[in-house]
Amino acid sequence: MDQAQGQPWAFVCVGILFGIVIFRWNINPLNDIPTAGRFSSSTWLSYLAALSFIRRGRETLQEGYRQYYGSAFKVALLDRWMVIISGPKMIEDIRRRPEDELSFTETVQTLLQYKYTVGRKMQDDPYHVVVVKEKLQNRLLPNVMPSLIEEVPPTVQKYMPVTDHEWTSVDVLAAALKVVARTSNRVFVGSPLCLNEEYNDVSVQFAVEIVKAGTVLFLFPDILKPIAAPIVSKVRRTTERALRHLRPIIQERRTAMQELGTDWPDKPEDVLQWIMDKAVAKQESDADIVERLLLLNLAAIHTSSSSITHVLYHLAEQPELLGPLREEIEASIETEGWTMSSFARMWKLDSLLRESQRYNGFTLASMMRIAMKDIVLANGMFIPKGTLLGAAAHPTHYDNGRLPNAEIFEPFRFARMREANGSEGSARLQFASTSSEYIAFGHGQLACPGRHFAANQLKAVLSYIILNYDFKLPETEDCCSRPQRPPNVYVSLAVLPPIGGTIQLRKRAVC
Ligand code: HEM
């Protein structure tokens, strides 16, 4: 067949393909859900909308929230639409749905591509999450908090070194990561491994590698992912590095479990042991145990270090907060010592943490779920199987209708509200208490199971820093205006504290 004869067929094929694409666009049930953001007028421009969302995620969610509050809208991500819901009725609706309708596990797998980096086992049987729910719940935290509290002073002194009078510049996020990694690992793997710099770095790096690999694999078609994964992902290599440190400890504990059974007098009380208690019965390998431990590090370290970083920036920006905080911390510690009961009395510090989490946050959307079957939402909207959903966390937290002056950072607002409410109504305003108005930890059954641990860890670290350091922001060229903390970085749905930003610290001046 010569070239001229072949051309009509080529046109027919292109025409058919074009028709199929238009047909699929038109029958896509998500077309009925309004779109927010730039290029929202046409579904055809969704790639431009997705590119715009990377830089304008915050503004896009805000626009959608304003227009479709109490209902849902969609935003374009690079590979899919995401449906964003808002308002108490819709949040309640998501909260109540069981995992076989709206799945959190499936969301994590999809967004981080677990299947290709850590394997399906971690997704199919995520019992390490159960360990956090069972063992790091409020009632049992007093078993592990004393060791964490003991770890705080040497850790902070090491990673935030200061002299008596000189101001020292500290990279806030880098220091917070080190402090959170070591103090968390005191509870995750115990001492002396938590003192090992290389191990702590691996536990931080694992999260970085898993997010990096997940992001790159996301861009490959499914069929190529198993081939691409070993090339682009350093997750296995990072696990092996951690395994080198953990194997001797795991082996020793396996032997103890064989010889002494399920319980013995000085049995370690840490996350590693709690995972092993379940893993040994399931005959899991050392590598599986380490992977589960690192997945929990992933959930714990970057979230909590981001919280510490934001609070330290706010304190450096408003050093006048230190006086009332110190007064409260000193009074609590004088009465209750360095204990959880003491932290529970620190309403101002708790309020500062909650306000900072509300104002800054870790992600713009929370309660992310993938529909495991076709469902109809409380507002009657049809959501087809496979759709990614989430709640508009940032706009909810900035809604003046639900919290007066929501756009203003008022560090002690929740302490004041708690005092006004009396002890009965005050519990729901704590840092770790979720509601349809405060969804930084999600809300309901699947809300972050580590949030009570995080609250106590953050209070232990911050109260030590507040009592022992003075803060300020670096001087700026403009000597007349008060220095402001550097702005957060918004990338798609992620909220990052300023990376590489510094504050000035010195030993607290005793007047
Ligand atoms: C300020 C610190 C933290 C923040 C802001 C945070 C936030 C969150 C959020 C938003 C979720 C998803 C909830 C949902 O979609 O409904 C989550 C889940 C989770 N978090 Fe946290 N988290 C923090 C600290 C921690 C810590 C310290 C741990 C462990 C000790 C932890 C362990 C987990 C786990 C295991 C899950 C998954 C729950 C599941 O699969 O059901 N988190 N966290």
Side-chain angles (χ1 to χ4, degrees):
M1 206 191 306
D2 67 23
Q3 230 183 355
Q5 273 176 324
Q7 267 178 8
W9 284 108
F11 280 119
V12 170
C13 290
V14 170
I16 291 172
L17 272 178
F18 198 64
I20 292 173
V21 171
I22 289 186
F23 178 71
R24 290 194 57 182
W25 277 116
N26 284 329
I27 60 161
N28 185 347
L30 292 180
N31 284 349
D32 294 338
I33 300 178
T35 310
R38 286 197 180 147
F39 311 106
S40 60
S41 54
S42 163
T43 318
W44 291 97
L45 298 177
S46 59
Y47 278 107
L48 291 179
L51 288 175
S52 154
F53 189 79
I54 295 173
R55 293 195 52 200
R56 293 190 71 258
R58 190 161 62 128
E59 293 80 358
T60 306
L61 287 203
Q62 204 66 51
E63 279 164 38
Y65 185 86
R66 247 195 326 270
Q67 285 184 52
Y68 308 108
Y69 175 74
S71 180
F73 57 92
K74 65 181 189 297
V75 294
L77 304 184
L78 280 178
D79 75 324
R80 68 185 62 217
W81 292 106
M82 179 172 181
V83 174
I84 305 285
I85 60 104
S86 65
K89 194 169 137 199
M90 298 293 275
I91 289 175
E92 274 305 299
D93 186 24
I94 290 206
R95 179 178 89 82
R96 289 219 188 95
R97 302 269 178 173
E99 182 77 9
D100 64 354
E101 283 189 23
L102 291 179
S103 167
F104 176 70
T105 316
E106 188 62 29
T107 311
V108 177
Q109 142 62 23
T110 306
L111 297 182
L112 294 179
Q113 303 285 301
Y114 270 16
K115 193 161 58 173
Y116 307 102
T117 53
V118 291
R120 270 211 83 94
K121 202 195 272 183
M122 299 298 137
Q123 183 197 353
D124 292 343
D125 185 11
Y127 67 78
H128 48 286
V129 175
V130 179
V131 161
V132 177
K133 283 186 184 149
E134 284 174 358
K135 300 287 191 177
L136 293 181
Q137 53 157 296
N138 236 348
R139 202 169 46 83
L140 296 180
L141 275 180
N143 295 346
V144 294
M145 277 312 291
S147 61
L148 187 150
I149 290 168
E150 184 185 69
E151 204 57 51
V152 170
T155 309
V156 172
Q157 284 161 23
K158 175 162 184 175
Y159 297 114
M160 298 181 164
V162 286
T163 54
D164 274 355
H165 308 296
E166 297 292 312
W167 288 101
T168 308
S169 184
V170 171
D171 178 330
V172 198
L173 182 58
L177 276 166
K178 295 268 189 194
V179 169
V180 171
R182 177 160 145 185
T183 51
S184 304
N185 280 335
R186 176 71 190 253
V187 173
F188 279 44
V189 294
S191 197
L193 188 54
C194 73
L195 305 177
N196 186 310
E197 192 99 16
E198 143 91 8
Y199 176 74
N200 289 334
D201 287 348
V202 172
S203 63
V204 173
Q205 195 58 26
F206 180 82
V208 176
E209 295 304 343
I210 213 163
V211 173
K212 255 197 323 206
T215 313
V216 176
L217 285 171
F218 212 57
L219 304 173
F220 281 83
D222 278 355
I223 194 165
L224 292 180
K225 282 176 183 173
I227 304 163
I231 303 162
V232 302
S233 162
K234 288 193 195 151
V235 173
R236 293 245 181 263
R237 249 174 287 165
T238 315
T239 310
E240 273 157 27
R241 277 174 66 202
L243 190 54
R244 278 202 286 278
H245 294 279
L246 282 158
R247 184 165 272 139
I249 302 172
I250 295 176
Q251 289 302 335
E252 197 181 300
R253 292 188 186 190
R254 280 191 194 276
T255 310
M257 289 167 81
Q258 254 167 13
E259 287 170 3
L260 306 167
T262 52
D263 210 2
W264 62 95
D266 53 352
K267 185 176 177 185
E269 275 257 54
D270 56 31
V271 177
L272 172 61
Q273 186 60 49
W274 300 328
I275 291 177
M276 284 190 68
D277 285 344
K278 294 187 191 283
V280 168
K282 290 172 188 277
Q283 300 188 325
E284 288 202 338
S285 68
D286 293 356
D288 289 337
I289 294 169
V290 172
E291 218 152 61
R292 291 184 187 279
L293 192 63
L294 292 174
L295 285 173
L296 292 182
N297 274 142
L298 159 74
I301 294 181
H302 289 263
T303 45
S304 294
S305 48
S306 147
S307 298
I308 292 192
T309 304
H310 288 300
V311 169
L312 292 181
Y313 275 123
H314 286 299
L315 290 174
E317 187 181 52
Q318 292 177 259
E320 65 276 13
L321 301 175
L322 291 171
L325 284 167
R326 283 172 179 162
E327 215 172 274
E328 176 185 79
I329 295 167
E330 276 161 355
S332 307
I333 285 169
E334 206 176 291
T335 326
E336 305 268 3
W338 284 90
T339 59
M340 279 178 65
S341 332
S342 194
F343 300 149
R345 287 167 166 260
M346 299 176 186
W347 285 22
K348 288 197 174 82
L349 182 57
D350 191 89
S351 173
L352 170 62
L353 277 164
R354 182 173 164 119
E355 177 69 348
S356 173
Q357 202 68 42
R358 174 193 81 78
Y359 193 78
N360 301 293
F362 189 67
T363 52
L364 298 173
S366 72
M367 301 178 80
M368 293 205 227
R369 308 282 185 266
I370 284 188
M372 303 303 284
K373 48 168 93 149
D374 292 351
I375 57 166
V376 176
L377 293 177
N379 64 344
M381 228 171 222
F382 175 73
I383 300 292
K385 181 177 170 184
T387 306
L388 174 65
L389 275 102
H394 189 82
T396 302
H397 295 158
Y398 272 70
D399 186 339
N400 270 317
R402 311 183 81 192
L403 187 75
N405 300 324
E407 71 291 347
I408 296 171
F409 182 74
E410 283 183 23
F412 300 145
R413 72 162 81 219
F414 295 111
R416 279 198 305 276
M417 287 161 74
R418 287 176 73 179
E419 274 155 24
N421 276 349
S423 56
E424 211 158 274
S426 84
R428 65 180 182 83
L429 293 168
Q430 290 178 66
F431 172 54
S433 304
T434 68
S435 69
S436 63
E437 278 153 32
Y438 175 63
I439 49 176
F441 292 107
H443 182 41
Q445 255 322 64
L446 293 177
C448 171
R451 65 193 191 281
H452 298 290
F453 172 77
N456 283 285
Q457 177 184 32
L458 295 176
K459 284 183 190 170
V461 170
L462 286 168
S463 50
Y464 180 81
I465 296 177
I466 290 167
L467 286 188
N468 289 285
Y469 291 79
D470 284 332
F471 304 68
K472 66 173 186 171
L473 286 173
E475 301 295 338
T476 55
E477 308 247 304
D478 177 2
C479 59
C480 306
S481 62
R482 193 180 156 130
Q484 288 185 334
R485 58 156 291 184
N488 295 327
V489 180
Y490 297 90
V491 184
S492 188
L493 291 168
V495 184
L496 309 170
I499 296 159
T502 59
I503 59 171
Q504 306 270 299
L505 295 180
R506 70 170 181 206
K507 233 182 198 169
R508 178 179 171 187
V510 184
C511 327

